[in-house]
Amino acid sequence: MLHSHYENRLRKAVRNDDEPFTTPPSKRRLLHSPLKTPPSLPLSPRSPSSGHGDRLIPSRLGEKWNENFRLLQEDVGSPNEIKRARDAAAEGNKDTLMYRCLLRSEILDMNVSESRLSNVPVLIPDDRKPLGALDAVRIFNTARKISKMPFKVLDAPELQDDFYLNLVDWSSQNVLAVGLGASVWLWFACTSQVTRLCDLSVESDSVTSVAWTERGNLVAVGTHHGLVQIWDVQANKRINTIHGHTARVGALAWNGDSQICSGSRDRFIQQKDIRTPPVVPERRLQGHRQEVCGLKWSPDNQHLASGGNDNKLHVWNLHSNQPVQTYGDHIAAVKAIAWSPHHHGLLASGGGTADRCIRFWNTLTGQAMQSVDTGSQVCNLAWSKHSSELVSTHGYSQNQILLWKYPTLVQVAKLTGHTYRVLYLAMSPCGESIVTGAGDETLRFWNVFSKARSPKQIRSVLDPYAFLR
């Protein structure tokens, strides 16, 4: 009753208007039920100049009300659809988080927290095993491209195929010294110039080892007659000759720029300060029962590691004439020795043909650590300067070069090319390249190590030496 009375008054007001206006019945129905408006009928707003009414009806031309209303009803009434939408959003967030972590680790060199990524699954296409995003970051970082071909090959005629010699060394001034027969040749990496430093044929002698000082201005030359000659490269002359050995000197190691250690087939290790007069006796270390074929000083120059043909690995300090530690787990000659520059007191050693293993030792506690069977004779070892990786060269029977990740001992790369045992190894001063030599009379240069530095090592509070300077 009330609605019909209101409708009559509204019709009367419209009839009494100055401008005659008649509302069609269809539009009156639309006024009372706007939700039932057919989508094909456009509703345009009245022109402001007409002055009739103050109601604005916006244009909804092109809107698909029926379809939108149907989708809205399905979303509201379908719990499965809502759950699937939430799961898709969550997966998208996980993918975004993993992608951000990959970018931070690779480009910005930022550490990634294990707790933040523990719930982010990643599928590796090879084996389809689910891994955490942090594992994906590690795989992404370690899967760098390492060329399987050397970037340079040099001829090295008369390079001896002798396991017990050390005839190649690379100086801090980017000069390579190579012992070829009775001569020592220098190859300047910056200019590719080659010069002969010395010729021992006039003395009926031959070169058995070479080693640079840390500064790179002096090179020591061990000879078949048991001498150690010190040569000044810039002056191109011999400045000292050290006697004392009765057999060939196959291993040399400098402690700084003044003290030279030599290992010989006479089973002795001799340490001499080249600044002292010849009348001052040298220090003699006796511990091996057969030829000494490997010598390396620790990064802090406090300990000397020596390997011999008696399958023993000794560690010496600066004061005692007896080894402070002896390791006898190898069952073949120990020539390959390398101290880690990243882990204090960590020593790696490699055995010969009957052993084939790389072993790791904690010289702080005297305990053996990991070991890995390489499958062939271990000739040399060298740690990367920038990351916790090391390279090994091998002889019988595969003649290969292997790159390892420490401490997982995962094989990162395998390089082949030499047709004889890879007996000689030296690292460039930048720490990115190595040079290898073999009895095939070639020197091959490889890019194996990355430029990027590894994350700073976290010191353990359980290490009693971790906070000592």
Side-chain angles (χ1 to χ4, degrees):
M1 187 67 181
L2 180 62
H3 290 287
S4 60
H5 180 68
Y6 175 77
E7 187 175 358
N8 293 332
R9 289 180 59 189
L10 182 61
R11 290 177 179 176
K12 185 178 180 180
V14 172
R15 292 193 196 102
N16 295 332
D17 201 297
D18 296 336
E19 180 180 352
F21 179 82
T22 302
T23 303
S26 61
K27 290 191 177 182
R28 291 202 297 271
R29 288 196 299 269
L30 292 176
L31 184 64
H32 288 287
S33 56
L35 294 180
K36 297 181 180 179
T37 303
S40 60
L41 181 62
L43 296 177
S44 302
R46 290 187 181 183
S47 174
S49 59
S50 62
H52 301 293
D54 58 350
R55 183 174 181 181
L56 175 64
I57 302 177
S59 174
R60 285 170 171 78
L61 179 63
E63 293 289 347
K64 300 179 181 180
W65 292 104
N66 292 340
E67 182 178 351
N68 293 341
F69 185 79
R70 179 179 58 80
L71 294 176
L72 179 62
Q73 290 294 101
E74 290 182 358
D75 290 343
V76 173
S78 176
N80 293 333
E81 292 291 335
I82 298 175
K83 183 178 179 181
R84 279 195 288 268
R86 290 178 179 176
D87 293 341
E91 291 297 327
N93 292 336
K94 291 178 181 180
D95 294 340
T96 303
L97 177 60
M98 186 194 69
Y99 181 69
R100 289 177 179 175
C101 293
L102 288 173
L103 289 179
R104 290 177 181 176
S105 177
E106 181 65 16
I107 300 177
L108 302 179
D109 196 20
M110 296 175 62
N111 294 329
V112 181
S113 173
E114 180 94 32
S115 59
R116 291 186 58 193
L117 300 178
S118 58
N119 297 324
V120 182
V122 181
L123 290 178
I124 304 302
D126 295 337
D127 50 10
R128 308 303 293 179
K129 294 180 179 179
L131 299 175
L134 187 61
D135 297 323
V137 172
R138 290 169 180 163
I139 295 173
F140 188 74
N141 287 338
T142 56
R144 66 178 187 272
K145 292 184 179 180
I146 299 177
S147 175
K148 300 299 180 67
M149 300 294 294
F151 65 87
K152 183 182 290 290
V153 179
L154 299 178
D155 290 327
E158 297 185 70
L159 185 62
Q160 299 186 50
D161 184 27
D162 194 327
F163 176 79
Y164 300 97
L165 306 185
N166 292 274
L167 296 174
V168 178
D169 198 18
W170 207 331
S171 78
S172 59
Q173 298 187 13
N174 213 9
V175 181
L176 189 68
V178 185
L180 302 177
S183 302
V184 175
W185 292 85
L186 303 179
W187 180 75
F188 295 83
C190 297
T191 62
S192 296
Q193 181 184 0
V194 178
T195 61
R196 180 157 62 180
L197 177 65
C198 63
D199 185 3
L200 306 182
S201 60
V202 294
E203 305 171 6
S204 301
D205 208 346
S206 61
V207 179
T208 54
S209 56
V210 294
W212 288 97
T213 59
E214 292 184 2
R215 193 181 303 172
N217 59 331
L218 302 178
V219 60
V221 179
T223 74
H224 183 77
H225 292 167
L227 303 178
V228 178
Q229 300 181 2
I230 311 299
W231 286 79
D232 187 331
V233 175
Q234 293 183 349
N236 198 23
K237 69 175 183 179
R238 182 171 58 185
I239 61 174
N240 201 343
T241 300
I242 302 173
H243 302 265
H245 290 295
T246 59
R248 70 179 184 185
V249 178
L252 294 169
W254 285 92
N255 187 335
D257 293 313
S258 59
Q259 296 187 16
I260 179 67
C261 283
S262 55
S264 172
R265 182 181 274 181
D266 63 10
R267 303 171 296 172
F268 287 99
I269 300 173
Q270 188 170 277
Q271 182 178 349
K272 177 70 174 180
D273 193 327
I274 63 174
R275 299 170 299 182
T276 60
V279 294
V280 177
E282 60 278 347
R283 181 190 178 196
R284 292 173 67 85
L285 308 177
Q286 184 176 6
H288 290 282
R289 295 185 177 181
Q290 294 189 36
E291 181 173 6
V292 180
C293 50
L295 286 176
K296 284 292 170 62
W297 281 98
S298 61
D300 58 2
N301 291 331
Q302 297 299 309
H303 293 88
L304 174 69
S306 64
N309 197 36
D310 56 358
N311 310 342
K312 301 295 182 183
L313 174 66
H314 294 316
V315 178
W316 315 75
N317 60 20
L318 294 173
H319 311 292
S320 176
N321 289 337
Q322 297 296 324
V324 295
Q325 291 177 355
T326 298
Y327 303 102
D329 292 4
H330 287 291
I331 58 175
V334 182
K335 176 193 177 184
I337 302 172
W339 292 88
S340 171
H342 311 290
H343 308 274
H344 180 60
L346 178 60
L347 177 63
S349 60
T353 306
D355 185 80
R356 307 177 306 178
C357 291
I358 300 175
R359 301 181 184 273
F360 298 86
W361 318 90
N362 185 349
T363 60
L364 301 179
T365 62
Q367 295 178 344
M369 301 176 66
Q370 305 103 305
S371 66
V372 57
D373 189 343
T374 65
S376 55
Q377 179 188 43
V378 184
C379 302
N380 295 279
L381 288 172
W383 289 87
S384 168
K385 296 181 180 180
H386 307 306
S387 61
S388 191
E389 296 178 339
L390 72 158
V391 62
S392 58
T393 68
H394 300 270
Y396 300 124
S397 57
Q398 301 183 29
N399 305 331
Q400 60 189 356
I401 304 163
L402 299 178
L403 183 62
W404 307 87
K405 189 75 175 178
Y406 185 85
T408 59
L409 298 182
V410 174
Q411 191 178 121
V412 180
K414 176 182 177 181
L415 308 176
T416 57
H418 286 289
T419 57
Y420 281 63
R421 297 180 294 174
V422 189
L423 297 176
Y424 310 109
L425 169 68
M427 186 182 300
S428 65
C430 67
E432 300 173 22
S433 305
I434 61 171
V435 59
T436 56
D440 56 11
E441 298 186 345
T442 63
L443 295 175
R444 298 173 184 263
F445 296 78
W446 317 79
N447 282 322
V448 295
F449 293 125
S450 174
K451 297 180 181 180
R453 289 186 174 272
S454 60
K456 196 172 184 179
Q457 298 294 332
I458 300 176
R459 296 183 177 182
S460 173
V461 295
L462 301 179
D463 185 0
Y465 300 95
F467 300 95
L468 294 180
R469 287 189 173 182

